[in-house]
Amino acid sequence: MKYNYGDYLISEPVNYDEELKRLPGADYDLCCALFSMVLREDHFNNGTFAKRNEAGEILSILDRMLLLLSGNK
């Protein structure tokens, strides 16, 4: 969890879909920030996490994090 996730984002106000487009080139810290972002999004808009999960976006973030941890980029 990145409590300062907003420091990693480029849109203001936060455009969640645009931020998630950055995932393919994201480093590990940005992945953590993006994951924190979607958790916080769900806090304010209950149900969005489930919708993003169904769309495969949550798994995409986690897959990218695992890829980076394995040393592949």
Side-chain angles (χ1 to χ4, degrees), residues 8-37:
Y8 295 85
L9 306 181
I10 58 174
S11 62
E12 193 175 321
V14 177
N15 182 324
Y16 299 95
D17 295 323
E18 285 300 313
E19 295 292 348
L20 288 171
K21 289 179 183 177
R22 301 171 58 206
L23 185 60
D27 63 9
Y28 190 80
D29 285 328
L30 179 55
C31 288
C32 291
L34 293 172
F35 193 75
S36 299
M37 175 191 75

Side-chain angles (χ1 to χ4, degrees), residues 4-66:
N4 65 333
Y5 69 94
D7 293 346
Y8 295 85
L9 306 181
I10 58 174
S11 62
E12 193 175 321
V14 177
N15 182 324
Y16 299 95
D17 295 323
E18 285 300 313
E19 295 292 348
L20 288 171
K21 289 179 183 177
R22 301 171 58 206
L23 185 60
D27 63 9
Y28 190 80
D29 285 328
L30 179 55
C31 288
C32 291
L34 293 172
F35 193 75
S36 299
M37 175 191 75
V38 296
L39 289 173
R40 296 298 296 157
E41 176 191 28
D42 187 67
H43 174 77
F44 294 107
N45 299 302
N46 195 22
T48 56
F49 188 88
K51 290 176 185 173
R52 290 196 183 280
N53 187 44
E54 290 172 12
E57 294 171 330
I58 305 303
L59 187 57
S60 294
I61 295 170
L62 297 175
D63 283 344
R64 177 72 182 157
M65 293 170 84
L66 287 172

